[in-house]
Amino acid sequence: MVEVGLLMTIALILALLHFGVPLSYYYYLKKWWLSKPWNIRRDPGYKPKVSIIVPTYNEAGLIESKLDDLAKQDYPRELVEVIVVDSASTDGTPEKVEEWARRNPDVKLALIREPTRRGKAHALNNALKYATGDIVVITDVDTTWSSNDTLSNAVLWFNDLSVGAVTCLKLPAGKGIMRVEEGYREFYNVVRLAESKKHSTPVFHGELAAFRRSLLEKVGGFPTNIGADDSHTATKIALMGYRVIAVDNAWCVENVPRSRYHTWRIRRAQHLIQHFMAILKHLWRAPRELRETLLVEVYLHLLNPWILVIAVAILLYLALNPSIVAIALIALGAT
Ligand code: GDP
Ligand code: MN
């Protein structure tokens, strides 16, 4: 019955690892990196030209309020171009965009209509050909920026040439726009922010992902074979030695879909798995601080979920053999 005791011990250790590694990582980052200085020269007066790319597929219900939000940003109008790239929506999205543009002639807006749908990354690459800004900002339609200075706040980091890409932190879903303090306490925000202070974070957010255009061109635009296209592109830029960071002065609201929540969560997770699988072969050329971050994130995304699956499988196996468990417990008690 030694094997049973052994199996139980293994299951316990695996479960401890599954919960312990993320928690330890969190406390390590919080203690050592969260309050460190950025070592980045920021300049609120730095106002480069910005291209905002909005990819749309069947977004007729949300596109107008999204464009209204963008128009409310305090960034100088003459320095902003909005590029909506639509992939053959069937619900009248492009027409809504055209109507909006007619009502808002003071906003520089271009609409690109793709004849067929070939995915978000494909559409972004298409829009990139038209972008003239020094900074390219990608933002999903179903998201909101927390305030009118979100864009300015994200852009000012690019004053430092070591910065290659910037993303927002996320406000907890469904808790309203005014809860920034709560956002600071969220597990993922602490991790993203501290990773960014250490060097870079490998997870970007579709709510606001800003890139230096010259670097986007260097890495060949967005990958069409990896779902987490923004995260992957940012990480490739980090591997070139640039900082790619989540910043604590730009906040976004994640709009969680009302229906099919679990399908959505699983799809997001799959996208990150694709991303980290593709990063594996580049680990060796990352600067040290970045390599440490990537190693932990690779573990968390590729191995950690399976560790729990294995632990549960072992416990189920033991539970389905009650006689074995009984004998094991007696054996354990006897030792
Ligand atoms: P999720 O948040 O990861 O579930 O992805 P969404 O379905 O919300 O898509 C993110 C953004 O990309 C939204 O603005 C979509 O309208 C847009 N989008 C999704 N698929 C396509 C596509 O094939 N082409 C274009 N142009 N946009 C797309
Ligand atoms: Mn979405």
Side-chain angles (χ1 to χ4, degrees):
M1 282 310 107
V2 181
E3 307 89 67
V4 176
L6 188 67
L7 278 178
M8 283 182 109
T9 315
I10 291 175
L12 198 73
I13 290 174
L14 291 178
L16 273 176
L17 269 179
H18 174 84
F19 296 104
V21 173
L23 267 181
S24 314
Y25 186 51
Y26 171 84
Y27 284 109
Y28 154 76
L29 286 175
K30 199 168 167 171
K31 181 158 174 12
W32 290 100
W33 293 99
L34 192 61
S35 52
K36 285 257 161 71
W38 282 98
N39 292 327
I40 290 174
R41 272 174 292 107
R42 280 151 281 176
D43 178 6
Y46 173 67
K47 298 280 180 209
K49 191 168 175 210
V50 175
S51 304
I52 304 178
I53 302 180
V54 186
T56 62
Y57 179 71
N58 285 351
E59 299 283 8
L62 292 173
I63 186 63
E64 284 163 299
S65 59
K66 176 70 188 179
L67 293 172
D68 286 340
D69 271 357
L70 293 181
K72 275 191 223 134
Q73 289 294 310
D74 66 8
Y75 208 81
R77 277 238 159 131
E78 64 282 10
L79 294 174
V80 179
E81 65 183 8
V82 178
I83 303 174
V84 177
V85 54
D86 184 81
S87 304
S89 287
T90 52
D91 67 347
T93 302
E95 290 72 25
K96 287 258 161 82
V97 175
E98 279 164 352
E99 280 164 33
W100 189 93
R102 272 195 290 278
R103 289 199 305 275
N104 296 271
D106 50 331
V107 175
K108 188 165 181 251
L109 188 147
L111 169 64
I112 302 170
R113 299 182 71 160
E114 297 194 310
T116 52
R117 183 181 187 199
R118 296 178 61 186
K120 177 181 166 184
H122 184 272
L124 294 179
N125 289 333
N126 204 349
L128 260 186
K129 294 185 213 146
Y130 298 87
T132 61
D134 305 301
I135 307 301
V136 172
V137 178
I138 315 290
T139 181
D140 292 349
V141 175
D142 59 343
T143 65
T144 320
W145 294 349
S146 79
S147 64
N148 295 349
D149 55 7
T150 305
L151 180 61
S152 311
N153 286 345
V155 166
L156 58 85
W157 300 82
F158 286 96
N159 174 60
D160 194 315
L161 288 175
S162 71
V163 173
V166 168
T167 193
C168 56
L169 292 179
K170 284 199 204 178
L171 288 168
K175 287 190 185 156
I177 312 214
M178 302 313 292
R179 309 301 273 274
V180 168
E181 336 75 60
E182 260 172 59
Y184 273 115
R185 288 199 287 272
E186 289 252 305
F187 179 90
Y188 285 107
N189 282 339
V190 168
V191 170
R192 299 289 157 251
L193 193 53
E195 288 179 337
S196 302
K197 288 199 172 176
K198 186 172 177 181
H199 187 289
S200 295
T201 184
V203 179
F204 260 49
H205 301 139
E207 287 81 358
L208 190 169
F211 301 87
R212 207 182 284 283
R213 185 163 60 91
S214 55
L215 294 176
L216 266 186
E217 280 162 11
K218 245 186 207 155
V219 298
F222 296 92
T224 49
N225 56 339
I226 290 167
D229 44 67
D230 34 24
S231 296
H232 196 65
T233 304
T235 306
K236 273 171 46 191
I237 292 174
L239 285 167
M240 292 165 68
Y242 294 92
R243 304 276 299 272
V244 310
I245 53 179
V247 296
D248 53 355
N249 62 347
W251 292 80
C252 301
V253 182
E254 171 174 44
N255 287 0
V256 177
R258 277 171 297 255
S259 61
R260 298 166 60 78
Y261 173 79
H262 291 286
T263 329
W264 175 74
R265 267 265 100 95
I266 291 167
R267 192 162 55 83
R268 283 275 176 103
Q270 284 170 340
H271 287 170
L272 284 176
I273 289 169
Q274 291 175 343
H275 160 48
F276 283 107
M277 291 282 279
I279 285 304
L280 273 178
K281 60 177 180 288
H282 300 291
L283 274 178
W284 61 273
R285 64 181 168 104
R288 188 174 60 85
E289 281 94 356
L290 176 64
R291 189 176 330 125
E292 287 171 10
T293 300
L294 291 177
L295 274 173
V296 179
E297 291 288 355
V298 160
Y299 167 83
L300 290 177
H301 285 88
L302 301 185
L303 297 180
N304 207 43
W306 294 109
I307 284 182
L308 185 66
V309 171
I310 296 169
V312 170
I314 294 176
L315 291 176
L316 274 179
Y317 168 79
L318 293 173
L320 291 176
N321 295 278
S323 55
I324 298 183
V325 177
I327 299 167
L329 288 176
I330 294 166
L332 279 178
T335 56

